[in-house]
Amino acid sequence: MTDMQAYSPSPPASSVPDDNTVLSRQARVWRGLRNFVRRNPLSAFWGVVATAILIMAIVAPLIAPHDPLKANFRRMSKPPDAQNYFGTDQIGRDNLSRVIYGSRSSLVVAIAAVLLGTTTGSLWGLASGYIGGRFDIFSQRVIEVLQSFPDLILAMAISMALGTGTWTVIVAIAITRIPFGGRVVRAVALSLKEIAYVEAARGIGASTLRIMALHILPQCVASYLILATTHLGVAIVIESALGFLGVGIPPPTPTWGNLLADSLNSGLIPPWWLVFFPGLAITITVLAFNLFGDGIRDTLDPRLRGTR
Amino acid sequence: MYEYILRRLGFGLMTMLGVSIIVFVLMRVLPGDPLVAIFGMEGFTKLTAEDRAHYMAELGLSDPLVVQYLKWMGDVVTGELGRSFFRDESVADMIVRRGPLSVEIGVLSVVISWLLGLPVGIISALRPNTVADTGARIMSILFLAVPGFWLGILIVLALLFQFGYKAPLTGVPLWVDPWANLQIVIGPALVLGVGQAAYIARMARSSLLEVIREDYVRTARAKGVIERLVVNRHALPNALLPVITLSGVLMGIVLGGSIPIEQAFGVPGLGRAMITAVIERDVMVMQNLVFLYSFVFVLVNVLVDVTYAWFDPRIHYQ
C-alpha cells in the first residue's frame, strides 16, 4: 500500500476535517478543486485560460464576428481597426474570425492525437511491462526506433505516406506520442508487478488480462493524465508546424499553422497582423496547457514537486 | 570503456536498421502511382503501358520490395543515395550542396543554447526565489511555448522594416564569404538556440539545486573552500551530467525544429529540400533525408552516452 500513497494526493494536515464524516461525491470534488487552487494558484489561473480557449473553440460560430471563409474584396489587406480587430487578409477575410475558427481544428487535432497516441502507448507499455519476456524486449526495441526520429520529421513522413486530411495529421502526431506513453507506463507496471496485492491476485488464479485491467491499470491513471496534459502543448506546436509547412490539414480550413503559412504567401512582405495574431494564439494556448499540466503533475505525483 | 563504446555503437546500428525499415515501408505505402506524381494525372494517362514499365524500371521501383530495400541499403553504405524524381541532381549532391548550411545552424544553435541556458540556470540555482531566478524561470517557461518558426518570421519582418533585409536566395559557403554566411545562419541558429536554452536552463537549475545539497558539497564548504570553487570545481561537474544527456535529447528539436525555421528565414538548407520533397512527393529524396536526419540523431545520442560514461565511470563498470 505504500506505493499507492505515492500516487494518490493526500491533503495537507490542516485541510483534513477532524471528524471523519463521509463527504458526498460533489463535496469531495469541490474540496479537491479548492485545494488545487490554493496550492497552485498559477496553474489554476492558466487552467481557467485553457478552459476559456476550449470554450472559444466550441462556440466559435457564436462569437466570431464574421464568416472565416468569406472574402470581402472591399476590405483587402486592412490593418487592425474598429471593423476588423485583427485586420483582414489579402482577399478580405476577417483575421479575428479565422484565428477563432483556427482554434477548432488545432485543438481537435491536438486533443485527438494526444488521446490516441498516449492511450495506445500507455496500454502497450502496460502490457509490455507486466507480461515481460520477449514481448517486452521486442517492444522496447520498437519504441527505441520510434524515438530515433525527430518528432516533426516522423510526422511529416507519416502524413506524406497517408495523404492529406484531418485524420492523417491526427494519426501522424499520435504515432510520435506513443513512445512516451510506452516508457512511462511500462515503468509503473514494472514496479507494481511484484507488489503483494498483485501477487495475491495471481495466487488466487486471476488471469493476466484481469490483473492488468483491474489491478494494474487503475494505478497507471495518474501517469496517464500527467502525460496527456503535458503533451497537449507539444501536439499543438507540431500541428501548427505541419500546417505552416503545408503538410497539415489542407486549406481553406483555417488552422493556426495554415494561417501562418498563408501569411507568408500574401505578397512580398507579409502583413504583421497576419503573422502576429495566429502565433500569439499558439503561444498562449501552449503556455496555458503547459502550466496547467505542471499543476496537475504536482497534484497527482507529489514526488516530482519542484523538480522542474 | 572500449567494450562499452562498442556495445553502444552496436545498439545504435540495430536502431538504424529499424529506422531504415520504417522509413522504407512508409515511403512505399504511399497512395497513388509515383508516375502520377511525376507526370501529373494527364501526362500519366498518355503514357503507354510500355513507357510506364520503362520509367518504373528506370526509377528502380519495379523490383520486388526486398530487392529495392537491399539496393537502397547498399546505396546508403556506398553513399550513392539515388536520384531525385524531379531534379537532375543526385540526393548525395543535394546533401553536399545544401547540408553545410543546416549543419552550421544546428551546431551554432547548440553552442548558443549552452552559452545562454547554462549561466541562467546556474544563477537561478544559486539564488533561488530571487528576482533573477523568477525572471529566468518566466523566460524559460515562455520560450517553451513560443513556436520557433513564428519567432523567426517576426524577426525577419522586423529586420525587413528596420534594415530592408531580404531573405537570401542562394546559400553562401562559410569558406567563400564568412560574413555573408553568418548573416544567413545567425537568425535561425539564434531562434533554435533560445528554444533549447529554455530547456537547458530549467535542467541546469534543478540539477544544480539537487547537487548543492549533497554532503560532499557541505564538506567542501565546511573545510573552508571558497564559494566560487565549491560551485565550479565540486558542484558543477556533477550537475552538468544530466544537462549533457538533455542536450542529446534536444537534438530532436534541433533537427526537426530547423525545418520550419529554415522555411521561415528562407534559408536554402536541407530542411527546405525536405519540405519540397514532401510537397512534390519525391520519394527518393524524402526517404534518404529522413534516414539522414535520424542517423544524425542516433549518432549524437551515442556520442552523448559515451561522453557521459567517460565523465561518470559508474556507467560502464555496470
XYZ file of all heavy atoms in Angstrom, chain A residues 141 144-154 156-158 160-163 237 240-241 244-247 260 263-264 269-272 275-280 282-283 286-287 290-291 294 306-308, chain B residues 11 14-15 18-19 22-23 26-27 29-31 141-142 144-147 149-150 153-154 157 160-161 202 206 252 255-256 259-260 263-264 274-275 277-279 281-283 286 290 293-294 297-298:
752
model
N 12.601 -2.371 -28.203
C 13.362 -2.038 -29.415
C 12.533 -1.179 -30.357
O 13.019 -0.193 -30.906
C 13.800 -3.325 -30.130
C 14.869 -4.149 -29.440
C 16.208 -3.448 -29.383
N 16.352 -2.634 -28.175
C 16.646 -3.140 -26.976
N 16.861 -4.416 -26.832
N 16.736 -2.358 -25.925
N 12.316 2.277 -29.079
C 13.595 2.956 -29.276
C 13.713 3.462 -30.719
O 14.169 4.575 -30.954
C 14.724 1.968 -28.996
C 15.854 2.538 -28.186
C 16.607 1.436 -27.494
O 17.389 0.770 -28.182
O 16.390 1.214 -26.291
N 13.298 2.616 -31.661
C 13.371 3.021 -33.065
C 12.465 4.224 -33.311
O 12.869 5.200 -33.940
C 12.993 1.853 -33.995
C 12.795 2.347 -35.414
C 14.061 0.780 -33.955
N 11.229 4.174 -32.754
C 10.302 5.288 -32.951
C 10.875 6.575 -32.369
O 10.641 7.659 -32.882
C 8.957 4.983 -32.291
C 7.993 4.123 -33.090
C 6.703 3.934 -32.316
C 7.697 4.769 -34.429
N 11.633 6.430 -31.269
C 12.184 7.631 -30.639
C 13.419 8.152 -31.357
O 13.911 9.223 -31.024
C 12.516 7.352 -29.179
C 11.323 7.601 -28.286
C 11.707 7.646 -26.832
O 12.541 6.878 -26.388
N 11.078 8.532 -26.084
N 13.927 7.385 -32.322
C 15.119 7.858 -33.037
C 14.774 8.803 -34.167
O 15.666 9.279 -34.858
C 15.907 6.693 -33.626
O 15.887 5.620 -32.782
N 13.475 9.025 -34.392
C 13.083 10.031 -35.376
C 12.812 11.334 -34.640
O 12.119 11.316 -33.629
C 11.781 9.636 -36.079
C 11.891 8.443 -36.972
C 11.535 7.196 -36.517
C 12.317 8.575 -38.278
C 11.611 6.092 -37.347
C 12.396 7.486 -39.114
C 12.036 6.240 -38.649
N 13.332 12.456 -35.147
C 12.843 13.723 -34.608
C 11.324 13.799 -34.843
O 10.861 13.445 -35.925
C 13.583 14.762 -35.451
C 14.809 14.061 -35.931
C 14.408 12.645 -36.133
N 10.583 14.236 -33.796
C 9.103 14.217 -33.844
C 8.521 14.739 -35.144
O 7.729 14.081 -35.808
C 8.535 15.081 -32.712
C 8.770 14.441 -31.365
O 9.069 13.235 -31.342
O 8.654 15.150 -30.360
N 8.943 15.972 -35.483
C 8.324 16.637 -36.624
C 8.606 15.879 -37.920
O 7.747 15.772 -38.792
C 8.850 18.073 -36.721
C 8.199 18.905 -37.802
C 6.723 19.055 -37.540
C 8.851 20.266 -37.897
N 9.824 15.312 -38.030
C 10.190 14.625 -39.267
C 9.389 13.338 -39.416
O 8.897 13.021 -40.506
C 11.708 14.357 -39.280
C 12.427 15.705 -39.356
C 12.098 13.461 -40.440
C 13.915 15.613 -39.331
N 9.195 12.617 -38.298
C 8.365 11.412 -38.362
C 6.942 11.781 -38.775
O 6.341 11.141 -39.640
C 8.367 10.700 -37.003
C 7.576 9.402 -36.934
C 8.110 8.406 -37.934
C 7.613 8.801 -35.539
N 5.994 14.356 -40.496
C 5.984 14.734 -41.915
C 5.973 13.496 -42.803
O 5.206 13.405 -43.770
C 7.232 15.566 -42.254
C 7.128 17.032 -41.934
S 8.739 17.836 -42.102
C 8.819 18.060 -43.874
N 6.830 12.522 -42.473
C 6.924 11.315 -43.303
C 5.604 10.552 -43.278
O 5.134 10.069 -44.310
C 8.066 10.434 -42.814
N 4.980 10.458 -42.087
C 3.721 9.718 -41.996
C 2.627 10.425 -42.778
O 1.868 9.796 -43.514
C 3.300 9.537 -40.529
C 4.312 8.647 -39.807
C 1.917 8.905 -40.436
C 4.121 8.608 -38.321
N 3.005 12.308 -45.269
C 3.277 12.140 -46.699
C 2.810 10.757 -47.147
O 2.223 10.602 -48.221
C 4.772 12.287 -46.958
C 5.176 12.124 -48.406
S 6.973 12.249 -48.558
C 7.209 11.857 -50.279
N 3.024 9.752 -46.303
C 2.651 8.390 -46.681
C 1.144 8.200 -46.709
O 0.628 7.461 -47.544
C 3.284 7.395 -45.706
N 0.412 8.870 -45.794
C -1.024 8.611 -45.686
C -1.866 9.567 -46.519
O -3.071 9.400 -46.598
C -1.467 8.697 -44.221
C -0.805 7.702 -43.260
C -1.349 7.913 -41.854
C -1.050 6.273 -43.701
N -1.245 10.583 -47.113
C -2.036 11.560 -47.858
C -2.547 12.640 -46.922
O -2.373 12.553 -45.711
N 2.034 22.455 -31.038
C 3.167 23.017 -31.779
C 3.444 22.187 -33.038
O 3.681 22.745 -34.119
C 4.421 23.097 -30.884
C 5.631 23.473 -31.714
C 4.213 24.116 -29.785
N 0.832 22.947 -35.665
C 0.997 24.241 -36.331
C 2.204 24.212 -37.274
O 2.167 24.818 -38.337
C 1.126 25.363 -35.308
O 2.263 25.184 -34.517
N 3.262 23.481 -36.880
C 4.424 23.385 -37.767
C 4.051 22.654 -39.056
O 4.428 23.075 -40.151
C 5.574 22.672 -37.065
N 2.072 24.966 -41.126
C 2.956 26.009 -41.658
C 3.740 25.486 -42.861
O 3.983 26.207 -43.821
C 3.901 26.469 -40.550
C 4.938 27.455 -40.994
C 4.561 28.711 -41.461
C 6.281 27.145 -40.942
C 5.510 29.618 -41.866
C 7.237 28.043 -41.350
C 6.853 29.287 -41.813
N 4.115 24.207 -42.808
C 4.901 23.636 -43.904
C 4.030 23.169 -45.060
O 4.540 22.686 -46.067
C 5.737 22.453 -43.390
C 6.792 22.805 -42.347
C 7.492 21.563 -41.860
C 7.803 23.768 -42.943
N 2.703 23.281 -44.896
C 1.816 22.886 -45.984
C 1.567 21.396 -46.055
O 1.153 20.873 -47.087
N 1.823 20.655 -44.974
C 1.531 19.234 -44.981
C 0.529 18.879 -43.891
O 0.366 17.721 -43.536
C 2.812 18.376 -44.806
C 3.619 18.406 -46.059
C 3.633 18.834 -43.629
N -0.468 30.929 -40.552
C 0.909 31.419 -40.660
C 1.469 31.136 -42.051
O 2.166 31.964 -42.633
C 1.790 30.769 -39.593
C 1.591 31.320 -38.186
C 2.359 30.510 -37.163
C 2.045 32.776 -38.138
N 0.057 33.650 -44.392
C 0.594 34.998 -44.227
C 1.863 35.167 -45.071
O 2.109 36.236 -45.621
C 0.893 35.287 -42.768
O 2.085 34.629 -42.367
N 2.650 34.095 -45.189
C 3.890 34.202 -45.975
C 3.590 34.268 -47.460
O 4.393 34.764 -48.243
C 4.807 33.013 -45.700
C 5.527 33.008 -44.366
C 6.664 32.018 -44.389
C 6.063 34.396 -44.034
N 5.848 41.284 -48.766
C 6.083 41.498 -47.343
C 4.838 41.046 -46.589
O 3.768 41.610 -46.771
C 6.347 42.991 -47.046
C 7.584 43.450 -47.817
C 6.489 43.207 -45.560
C 7.856 44.917 -47.712
N 4.938 40.015 -45.746
C 3.751 39.564 -45.023
C 3.285 40.642 -44.050
O 4.105 41.213 -43.335
C 4.233 38.320 -44.279
C 5.703 38.253 -44.452
C 6.117 39.211 -45.502
N 1.969 40.972 -44.065
C 1.444 41.969 -43.129
C 1.634 41.462 -41.700
O 1.386 40.295 -41.427
C -0.045 42.040 -43.473
C -0.204 41.342 -44.770
C 0.912 40.378 -44.889
N 2.073 42.343 -40.812
C 2.439 41.884 -39.466
C 1.261 41.278 -38.732
O 1.422 40.342 -37.964
C 3.075 43.021 -38.653
C 2.133 44.154 -38.315
C 1.977 45.304 -39.007
C 1.231 44.220 -37.217
N 1.032 46.101 -38.426
C 0.553 45.451 -37.322
C 0.917 43.375 -36.161
C -0.421 45.848 -36.410
C -0.056 43.763 -35.246
C -0.719 44.996 -35.382
N 0.748 37.654 -39.296
C 1.773 36.813 -38.682
C 1.580 36.775 -37.169
O 1.621 35.713 -36.542
C 3.184 37.342 -39.010
C 4.240 36.527 -38.280
C 3.438 37.302 -40.502
N 1.343 37.969 -36.602
C 1.404 38.108 -35.157
C 0.296 37.344 -34.432
O 0.570 36.564 -33.512
C 1.347 39.598 -34.796
C 1.447 39.861 -33.326
C 2.644 39.651 -32.661
C 0.345 40.288 -32.604
C 2.747 39.882 -31.302
C 0.437 40.517 -31.243
C 1.643 40.316 -30.597
N -0.973 37.524 -34.850
C -2.084 37.001 -34.052
C -2.182 35.472 -34.011
O -2.368 34.906 -32.932
C -3.397 37.653 -34.490
C -3.460 39.120 -34.148
C -3.460 40.082 -35.135
C -3.468 39.522 -32.829
C -3.485 41.437 -34.813
C -3.486 40.873 -32.488
C -3.502 41.830 -33.486
N -2.044 34.767 -35.144
C -2.105 33.301 -35.034
C -0.998 32.744 -34.135
O -1.242 31.856 -33.313
C -1.914 32.816 -36.473
C -2.247 33.963 -37.333
C -1.908 35.191 -36.551
N 0.218 33.310 -34.261
C 1.334 32.847 -33.426
C 1.074 33.126 -31.959
O 1.380 32.302 -31.093
N 0.494 34.304 -31.681
C 0.163 34.649 -30.301
C -0.836 33.642 -29.744
O -0.728 33.199 -28.592
C -0.421 36.061 -30.249
C -0.590 36.651 -28.862
C 0.759 36.899 -28.226
C -1.389 37.944 -28.913
N -1.190 30.529 -30.641
C -0.470 29.281 -30.348
C 0.273 29.417 -29.024
O 0.170 28.551 -28.147
C 0.548 28.954 -31.470
C -0.159 28.790 -32.815
C 1.330 27.693 -31.140
C 0.790 28.626 -33.982
N 1.009 30.528 -28.874
C 1.828 30.699 -27.671
C 0.972 30.653 -26.411
O 1.293 29.934 -25.457
C 2.580 32.035 -27.744
O 3.330 32.061 -28.944
C 3.517 32.198 -26.567
N -0.416 27.073 -25.787
C 0.607 26.126 -25.329
C 1.017 26.459 -23.898
O 1.149 25.579 -23.045
C 1.830 26.152 -26.263
C 2.931 25.269 -25.722
C 1.437 25.684 -27.648
N 1.188 27.758 -23.629
C 1.538 28.203 -22.284
C 0.482 27.724 -21.285
O 0.804 27.177 -20.224
C 1.607 29.734 -22.283
C 2.484 30.416 -21.252
C 3.911 29.944 -21.417
C 2.411 31.921 -21.421
N 0.654 23.917 -20.838
C 1.875 23.514 -20.134
C 1.780 23.802 -18.637
O 2.087 22.943 -17.809
C 3.090 24.263 -20.695
C 3.599 23.645 -21.976
O 3.122 22.593 -22.398
N 4.552 24.292 -22.606
N 1.362 25.031 -18.298
C 1.366 25.410 -16.884
C 0.254 24.698 -16.127
O 0.429 24.301 -14.973
C 1.240 26.929 -16.749
C 2.501 27.648 -17.209
C 2.317 29.148 -17.187
C 3.671 27.271 -16.313
N 1.578 21.322 -15.482
C 2.514 21.310 -14.352
C 1.770 21.157 -13.038
O 2.169 20.388 -12.163
C 3.321 22.621 -14.323
C 4.468 22.595 -15.316
O 4.597 21.567 -16.009
O 5.207 23.583 -15.389
N 8.489 20.442 -7.614
C 9.666 21.305 -7.524
C 10.859 20.828 -8.336
O 11.908 21.448 -8.314
N 10.709 19.736 -9.073
C 11.866 19.291 -9.847
C 11.967 20.013 -11.178
O 12.976 19.916 -11.842
C 11.815 17.778 -10.141
O 10.578 17.480 -10.763
C 11.970 16.975 -8.885
N 10.886 20.704 -11.561
C 11.004 21.410 -12.821
C 10.928 22.901 -12.659
O 10.374 23.391 -11.704
C 9.909 20.970 -13.797
C 10.390 19.828 -14.662
C 9.261 19.257 -15.466
N 8.834 20.211 -16.483
C 7.943 19.906 -17.411
N 7.421 18.724 -17.475
N 7.573 20.807 -18.295
N 24.297 -1.157 -30.555
C 22.906 -0.785 -30.312
C 22.439 0.252 -31.327
O 21.356 0.143 -31.910
C 22.771 -0.180 -28.919
C 22.053 -1.066 -27.954
C 21.997 -0.729 -26.599
C 21.427 -2.224 -28.373
C 21.347 -1.544 -25.704
C 20.766 -3.038 -27.480
C 20.734 -2.696 -26.141
N 21.759 -1.268 -34.671
C 20.486 -2.002 -34.692
C 19.319 -1.039 -34.817
O 18.375 -1.270 -35.573
C 20.331 -2.812 -33.402
C 20.659 -4.274 -33.574
S 20.670 -5.116 -31.981
C 19.082 -4.726 -31.303
N 19.393 0.057 -34.057
C 18.325 1.057 -34.131
C 18.214 1.608 -35.544
O 17.112 1.756 -36.075
C 18.609 2.201 -33.144
O 18.944 1.640 -31.882
C 17.422 3.098 -32.998
N 16.307 -0.647 -37.774
C 14.864 -0.494 -37.563
C 14.350 0.771 -38.228
O 13.313 0.770 -38.894
N 15.105 1.872 -38.054
C 14.707 3.149 -38.653
C 14.583 2.995 -40.162
O 13.592 3.417 -40.773
C 15.737 4.249 -38.303
C 15.541 5.470 -39.180
C 15.628 4.633 -36.851
N 11.388 1.204 -41.155
C 10.186 2.034 -41.018
C 10.117 3.075 -42.139
O 9.080 3.273 -42.771
C 10.150 2.717 -39.637
C 9.885 1.662 -38.563
C 9.081 3.801 -39.595
C 9.658 2.226 -37.199
N 11.253 3.746 -42.406
C 11.268 4.755 -43.467
C 10.884 4.123 -44.798
O 10.040 4.640 -45.539
C 12.664 5.407 -43.582
C 12.733 6.309 -44.801
C 12.981 6.191 -42.345
N 7.177 3.227 -44.952
C 6.366 4.442 -45.072
C 6.392 4.977 -46.492
O 5.371 5.363 -47.056
C 6.901 5.523 -44.134
C 6.383 5.534 -42.704
C 7.025 6.676 -41.941
C 4.878 5.693 -42.690
N 7.579 4.988 -47.100
C 7.712 5.585 -48.425
C 7.177 4.673 -49.526
O 7.067 5.086 -50.670
C 9.176 5.942 -48.695
C 9.685 7.086 -47.857
S 8.773 8.610 -48.131
C 8.075 8.888 -46.521
N 4.249 2.687 -48.977
C 2.796 2.531 -48.887
C 2.099 3.786 -49.383
O 0.890 3.901 -49.302
C 2.322 2.253 -47.436
C 2.891 0.960 -46.936
C 2.665 3.392 -46.510
N 2.869 4.752 -49.911
C 2.282 5.968 -50.451
C 1.096 5.653 -51.343
O 1.182 4.774 -52.205
C 3.306 6.698 -51.319
C 4.415 7.438 -50.639
C 5.412 7.889 -51.667
C 3.828 8.618 -49.928
N -0.015 6.364 -51.136
C -1.135 6.112 -52.034
C -0.821 6.675 -53.417
O -0.123 7.667 -53.547
C -2.283 6.879 -51.380
C -1.615 7.952 -50.603
C -0.279 7.410 -50.170
N 9.913 29.334 -19.219
C 8.560 28.812 -19.449
C 7.978 29.409 -20.728
O 7.359 28.724 -21.540
C 7.648 29.128 -18.243
C 8.066 28.271 -17.056
C 6.193 28.898 -18.582
C 7.415 28.665 -15.758
N 8.239 30.712 -20.935
C 7.704 31.394 -22.108
C 8.295 30.808 -23.394
O 7.581 30.494 -24.345
C 8.024 32.886 -22.010
C 7.346 33.765 -23.051
C 5.845 33.759 -22.831
C 7.868 35.183 -22.972
N 9.439 27.943 -23.928
C 8.998 26.589 -24.227
C 7.717 26.624 -25.043
O 7.390 25.684 -25.754
C 8.737 25.808 -22.934
C 9.946 25.429 -22.099
C 9.523 24.631 -20.895
C 10.917 24.631 -22.931
N 6.965 27.726 -24.935
C 5.656 27.786 -25.574
C 5.689 28.521 -26.914
O 4.804 28.333 -27.734
C 4.653 28.461 -24.641
N 6.694 29.362 -27.132
C 6.735 30.140 -28.374
C 7.222 29.251 -29.512
O 8.294 28.676 -29.429
C 7.684 31.343 -28.218
C 7.837 32.058 -29.537
C 7.177 32.279 -27.159
N 6.442 29.105 -30.584
C 6.937 28.303 -31.715
C 8.099 29.031 -32.390
O 7.993 30.217 -32.691
C 5.739 28.216 -32.664
C 4.598 28.885 -31.988
C 5.114 29.670 -30.837
N 9.403 28.889 -35.345
C 9.267 29.433 -36.704
C 8.491 30.737 -36.705
O 8.748 31.626 -37.510
C 8.626 28.405 -37.643
C 7.276 27.912 -37.235
C 6.143 28.547 -37.683
C 7.146 26.805 -36.408
C 4.882 28.103 -37.328
C 5.890 26.347 -36.046
C 4.759 27.002 -36.501
N 7.559 30.877 -35.735
C 6.820 32.137 -35.629
C 7.766 33.266 -35.233
O 7.772 34.338 -35.831
C 5.692 31.988 -34.603
C 4.901 33.223 -34.344
C 4.245 33.967 -35.271
C 4.708 33.866 -33.087
N 3.622 35.031 -34.659
C 3.894 34.988 -33.319
C 5.119 33.590 -31.785
C 3.492 35.837 -32.299
C 4.713 34.434 -30.767
C 3.915 35.554 -31.022
N 9.684 34.303 -38.272
C 9.021 35.221 -39.214
C 8.990 36.623 -38.626
O 9.215 37.607 -39.332
C 7.570 34.785 -39.519
C 7.508 33.298 -39.855
C 7.006 35.573 -40.682
C 6.089 32.813 -40.035
N 8.717 36.726 -37.318
C 8.655 38.049 -36.696
C 10.003 38.755 -36.796
O 10.068 39.953 -37.097
C 8.236 37.931 -35.220
C 6.777 37.575 -34.971
C 6.500 37.489 -33.481
C 5.852 38.613 -35.605
N 10.535 39.917 -40.300
C 9.707 41.098 -40.551
C 10.336 42.340 -39.948
O 10.414 43.391 -40.594
C 8.318 40.896 -39.932
C 7.238 40.311 -40.817
C 5.922 40.279 -40.074
C 7.106 41.140 -42.081
N 13.254 43.416 -41.848
C 12.819 43.958 -43.124
C 12.453 45.434 -42.983
O 12.841 46.267 -43.793
C 11.601 43.164 -43.589
C 11.322 43.143 -45.063
C 12.205 42.103 -45.695
C 9.864 42.784 -45.294
N 11.723 45.748 -41.891
C 11.295 47.127 -41.707
C 12.461 48.009 -41.282
O 12.576 49.148 -41.697
C 10.172 47.210 -40.671
C 8.846 46.828 -41.250
C 8.126 45.756 -40.746
C 8.320 47.534 -42.319
C 6.914 45.399 -41.300
C 7.111 47.180 -42.879
C 6.406 46.109 -42.371
N 16.362 25.196 -17.353
C 15.498 24.502 -16.403
C 16.204 23.301 -15.798
O 16.186 23.074 -14.595
C 14.258 24.008 -17.149
C 13.003 24.667 -16.681
C 11.897 24.267 -17.598
N 10.794 23.733 -16.828
C 9.535 23.783 -17.231
N 9.239 24.320 -18.376
N 8.579 23.291 -16.494
N 17.542 22.744 -11.808
C 17.074 21.710 -10.884
C 18.207 20.756 -10.526
O 18.309 20.283 -9.394
C 15.892 20.956 -11.477
O 16.272 20.256 -12.625
N 16.687 16.296 -31.156
C 15.440 16.087 -31.891
C 14.785 17.417 -32.238
O 14.242 17.588 -33.324
N 16.979 19.136 -34.980
C 16.805 18.564 -36.321
C 15.410 18.831 -36.860
O 15.241 19.303 -37.988
C 17.073 17.061 -36.275
C 18.524 16.678 -35.997
C 18.632 15.239 -35.555
C 19.364 16.911 -37.239
N 14.384 18.521 -36.056
C 13.012 18.719 -36.518
C 12.671 20.193 -36.601
O 12.136 20.660 -37.596
N 13.517 22.632 -39.561
C 12.825 22.601 -40.857
C 11.880 23.793 -41.036
O 12.036 24.565 -41.982
C 12.116 21.253 -41.041
C 13.181 20.160 -41.094
C 11.276 21.234 -42.301
C 12.632 18.777 -41.071
N 10.893 23.982 -40.124
C 10.062 25.183 -40.296
C 10.850 26.471 -40.114
O 10.500 27.485 -40.711
C 8.979 25.039 -39.221
C 9.463 24.016 -38.290
C 10.388 23.122 -39.042
N 12.418 27.374 -43.278
C 11.350 27.891 -44.135
C 11.042 29.344 -43.785
O 10.903 30.181 -44.669
C 10.104 27.011 -43.969
C 8.856 27.552 -44.615
C 8.715 27.065 -46.038
O 9.685 26.716 -46.691
N 7.494 27.031 -46.517
N 10.957 29.632 -42.476
C 10.599 30.979 -42.040
C 11.662 31.987 -42.461
O 11.340 33.095 -42.871
C 10.400 31.016 -40.526
N 13.701 19.075 -47.775
C 12.754 18.070 -47.296
C 11.309 18.527 -47.511
O 10.457 17.742 -47.919
C 13.015 17.781 -45.821
C 12.446 16.450 -45.392
S 12.569 16.161 -43.638
C 14.252 15.754 -43.440
N 11.041 19.819 -47.246
C 9.683 20.333 -47.459
C 9.287 20.158 -48.927
O 8.195 19.677 -49.246
C 9.605 21.825 -47.081
C 10.000 22.017 -45.618
C 8.211 22.367 -47.321
C 10.262 23.454 -45.269
N 10.452 18.052 -51.032
C 10.281 16.635 -51.333
C 8.902 16.145 -50.886
O 8.244 15.389 -51.602
C 11.372 15.820 -50.650
N 8.453 16.596 -49.698
C 7.142 16.152 -49.216
C 6.047 16.668 -50.134
O 5.135 15.934 -50.522
C 6.892 16.635 -47.767
C 5.465 16.351 -47.354
C 7.854 15.953 -46.827
N 6.150 17.947 -50.517
C 5.083 18.539 -51.306
C 5.056 17.947 -52.723
O 4.005 17.683 -53.280
C 5.231 20.075 -51.322
C 4.872 20.607 -49.931
C 4.333 20.714 -52.369
C 5.229 22.030 -49.702
N 6.092 15.010 -53.451
C 6.054 13.557 -53.290
C 7.272 12.907 -53.942
O 7.162 11.924 -54.676
C 4.765 12.974 -53.870
C 3.526 13.768 -53.494
C 2.266 13.048 -53.822
N 2.031 11.939 -52.918
C 1.682 12.072 -51.665
N 1.559 13.262 -51.141
N 1.464 11.038 -50.901
N 8.434 13.496 -53.679
C 9.691 12.982 -54.222
C 10.226 11.920 -53.267
O 10.970 12.201 -52.330
C 10.686 14.139 -54.372
C 11.821 13.784 -55.307
O 12.119 12.581 -55.449
O 12.402 14.715 -55.889
N 9.834 10.664 -53.524
C 10.066 9.589 -52.571
C 11.547 9.387 -52.260
O 11.951 9.275 -51.103
C 9.453 8.277 -53.102
C 9.861 7.118 -52.229
C 7.946 8.405 -53.150
N 12.993 12.170 -50.001
C 12.433 12.134 -48.655
C 13.006 10.957 -47.877
O 13.446 11.090 -46.738
C 10.909 12.027 -48.739
C 10.207 12.160 -47.412
S 10.516 13.762 -46.645
C 9.562 13.582 -45.137
N 15.083 11.691 -44.495
C 14.577 11.241 -43.197
C 15.587 10.311 -42.549
O 15.892 10.413 -41.358
C 13.213 10.530 -43.338
C 12.791 9.928 -42.011
C 12.161 11.488 -43.826
N 18.582 12.426 -41.230
C 18.292 13.174 -40.002
C 18.239 12.230 -38.802
O 18.761 12.544 -37.739
C 16.982 13.953 -40.145
C 17.153 15.328 -40.761
C 17.497 15.470 -42.097
C 16.988 16.479 -40.010
C 17.663 16.723 -42.663
C 17.151 17.749 -40.574
C 17.482 17.857 -41.899
O 17.653 19.095 -42.449
N 17.606 11.056 -38.978
C 17.535 10.111 -37.864
C 18.915 9.578 -37.530
O 19.247 9.359 -36.369
C 16.602 8.956 -38.211
O 15.366 9.448 -38.587
N 20.631 12.026 -35.425
C 20.012 11.997 -34.092
C 20.575 10.835 -33.272
O 21.011 11.002 -32.131
C 18.499 11.865 -34.260
C 17.701 12.162 -33.024
C 18.220 12.900 -31.975
C 16.383 11.714 -32.931
C 17.468 13.179 -30.853
C 15.624 11.989 -31.808
C 16.163 12.722 -30.771
N 20.591 9.640 -33.862
C 21.080 8.457 -33.156
C 22.568 8.596 -32.850
O 23.020 8.325 -31.730
C 20.805 7.180 -33.990
C 21.503 5.985 -33.369
C 19.314 6.924 -34.090
